Amino acid sequence: AQSVTQLGSHVSVSEGALVLLRCNYSSSVPPYLFWYVQYPNQGLQLLLKYTSAATLVKGINGFEAEFKKSETSFHLTKPSAHMSDAAEYFCAVSENSGNTPLVFGKGTRLSVIA
Amino acid sequence: GAGVSQSPSNKVTEKGKDVELRCDPISGHTALYWYRQSLGQGLEFLIYFQGNSAPDKSGLPSDRFSAERTGGSVSTLTIQRTQQEDSAVYLCASSYGGQQGSGYTFGSGTRLTVV
């Protein structure tokens, strides 16, 4: 069975500082990995995805994530936080060879301090 | 439509009543998913429809929960005899085909409150 662990339910950074949101996954087969963002009272929006191509994936709003198989990690980063980045972020995993639905982590709430 | 549409956006119901939540996926998306989002619990998978195949119901928490998808498009999630622990945001998503690499498009959700 697949699973996702997001370290830290709440992360707070200063505006302009590095954003690092951690995600570790467990999968018995090669995974697809995703990061989604959820703004208040909205649905989830896809930020970026890893589907076995380049290990460094660039997404929207300046975010990127690196797939590290040896560490079973897919951490999300952004060099400089903006106030508009404040939201809930979810990491998700799925098998890359089947139709199993995405398994989501519990989410990390990002706060950006002016 | 341009996105995944869910209705109602908010629903308050009394304990013991039945509720129906509706999801209208993106036109042409053959896969449809229901998830439940509770505070601090992330997204819990409920049910998955892919084309004309039998749905994957493995995530439904009890037999009070059921869902159907008519004509391969609109889906309705029904919760019978609602309980307070059913209070949550119910999210619907759709994707093109069953391959997971395309990612999902989510609706804005239905916030269900059972009083």
Side-chain angles (χ1 to χ4, degrees):
Chain A
Q2 299 163 302
S3 65
V4 171
T5 302
Q6 292 184 240
L7 292 177
S9 59
H10 184 208
V11 171
S12 185
V13 300
S14 298
E15 190 174 20
L18 171 72
V19 176
L20 171 61
L21 304 183
R22 300 178 185 274
C23 172
N24 288 89
Y25 70 92
S26 173
S27 178
S28 58
V29 297
Y32 286 157
L33 292 158
F34 303 81
W35 276 100
Y36 284 84
V37 61
Q38 185 179 34
Y39 298 102
N41 299 315
Q42 295 186 25
L44 277 69
Q45 178 184 0
L46 180 64
L47 265 181
L48 49 79
K49 61 183 180 181
Y50 166 77
T51 56
S52 72
T55 56
L56 181 63
V57 181
K58 295 185 184 297
I60 62 173
N61 302 337
F63 284 93
E64 63 181 37
E66 186 172 9
F67 171 66
K68 292 187 176 181
K69 183 179 178 180
S70 61
E71 299 178 6
T72 60
S73 69
F74 191 57
H75 302 331
L76 182 71
T77 61
K78 181 174 180 178
S80 177
H82 192 273
M83 298 296 289
S84 61
D85 295 327
E88 188 95 18
Y89 292 80
F90 292 92
C91 183
V93 65
S94 179
E95 295 179 2
N96 74 0
S97 58
N99 294 328
T100 55
L102 294 184
V103 173
F104 285 84
K106 293 189 176 183
T108 297
R109 183 164 61 91
L110 176 66
S111 296
V112 181
I113 303 167
Chain B
V4 177
S5 178
Q6 291 188 246
S7 60
S9 55
N10 281 283
K11 176 71 177 179
V12 179
T13 190
E14 293 181 351
K15 178 181 174 182
K17 299 285 188 182
D18 297 352
V19 294
E20 287 188 349
L21 312 180
R22 176 188 168 101
C23 173
D24 198 345
I26 290 174
S27 178
H29 279 192
T30 57
L32 186 149
Y33 312 83
W34 283 99
Y35 285 82
R36 178 168 68 177
Q37 183 177 20
S38 303
L39 191 62
Q41 296 301 313
L43 275 74
E44 174 189 8
F45 165 72
L46 297 177
I47 189 168
Y48 159 43
F49 296 89
Q50 168 52 35
N52 296 320
S53 302
D56 175 357
K57 304 179 181 180
S58 60
L60 294 178
S62 77
D63 59 8
R64 296 185 297 104
F65 287 73
S66 64
E68 64 177 18
R69 189 178 185 191
T70 54
S73 181
V74 173
S75 177
T76 302
L77 176 69
T78 301
I79 308 174
Q80 296 179 308
R81 305 180 302 281
T82 52
Q83 304 294 314
Q84 288 186 329
E85 61 264 28
D86 299 334
S87 295
V89 176
Y90 290 82
L91 291 168
C92 176
S94 68
S95 69
Y96 181 73
Q99 293 299 312
Q100 302 301 315
S102 60
Y104 301 171
T105 302
F106 280 85
S108 297
T110 294
R111 181 176 299 278
L112 175 66
T113 304
V114 182
V115 298

